[in-house]
Amino acid sequence: MTKKNLSERLAAGPVIGDGSMALTLEKRGYCTAGPWTPEAVVMYPEAVRQLLREYVRAGADVIQTPCFYSSDKKLKRGKVTYTAAEINDAACKIAKEVASEGDDVLICGGISPVESFVDGKGRDVVRKEFENQIEVFIKHDVDFLLAEYFGYIEELEICMDVVKKAGKMAACSMRIGPRGDLSGVSVEDCAVRMAKTGALMIGTNCQFDTNAQLKTLRRIKDALAKENLSPYLMCQPPGYLCPEVECTLTGQRHLPEAPILLETRILTRFEAHQFARSAYELGVRYIGGCCSTEPHHIRAFAQELAPEKKKSPPAEDMCPAFGALLVDSDIPVIRKRNTKEYWYSVKPGSGRPYNSPLVNVQAD
């Protein structure tokens, strides 16, 4: 059976992406906090393989090549130095292997921002770095390309020009919140410029939480409608709540807990359900996750949108939505907690007695 491509799937209904790699691998002991580079694909491939398998079992229709921040300058910061080509090649092989084990899973080649842009090295140097990232994806014939986590629309436009010449179906996303990109370009202008790159799908990812991203996506949608532009919308939020940072340009990095003390802010699976529904009703058709979005979050996205997808995630056999199998518990009070209505009525505690629910954050 021939796999439906990304365009066909988006036209048919929602598509579920995978989740966090770097932050989740760091928690498991396979990635260095700070550089966040993906040497694990060479040094600890089974750990990477297992995490991707968990996303597929959770219901991901797409897995990204696990090579975020794979650029030569970034990789030189690590204890063991590999080239971007070596990392991307290993990442493609792992992704292809895991995708082959799943049910009709697509592979997305993930393209990251490069330091040569912010260092002012010039367009030719920047283009060459993007060409180096993409070359391996073309060799491995991934299903589509995603330029993600871009903070500057200008850099993203350079990247997408290179992507366009590769002849692959493509998407792009930015780590923007309500204040726009890092150079002050508004959300609306970023939206229009992203769409004019010719990307099939555009949107937001990381840095700002689910609530902030919904606000930003609503503005993106309105800006596109005014210009009669109609790419599909995508969203890959982080897996924690950080309302304090909506006023900033760079989002969660302002939190005193960032990046390795964010556990008390983790999104619950039921908040993930509610986000997936809100995003879908807004018009978002590709929903995945970024930093700290774990397999159970992706499962919640897939379970929530199962009616629209006409397909439940593989993990439904063991973990049906809203704890339906709690009815089999031998503890009477737990047996009663097996409904959506119960879990949506719960207001979870922070788990940290006497701690402030919010922290002071200064804007950029």
Side-chain angles (χ1 to χ4, degrees), residues 67 70 83-93 132-133 136-137 140:
C67 52
S70 178
T83 66
E86 289 171 326
I87 292 292
N88 287 7
D89 185 65
C92 285
K93 289 175 180 175
N132 289 344
Q133 289 189 49
V136 180
F137 300 143
H140 282 278

Side-chain angles (χ1 to χ4, degrees), residues 12 47 218 351:
R218 192 169 289 110

Side-chain angles (χ1 to χ4, degrees), residues 277-321:
R277 179 55 55 191
S278 296
Y280 182 77
E281 290 178 354
L282 181 61
V284 178
R285 289 299 174 264
Y286 185 102
I287 302 174
C290 203
C291 295
S292 290
T293 306
E294 303 275 351
H296 67 282
H297 295 118
I298 301 303
R299 187 174 78 229
F301 296 163
Q303 287 174 329
E304 178 63 33
L305 297 177
E308 288 79 9
K309 289 172 59 61
K310 300 180 176 60
K311 176 184 176 183
S312 295
E316 197 80 3
D317 63 341
M318 298 293 289
C319 305

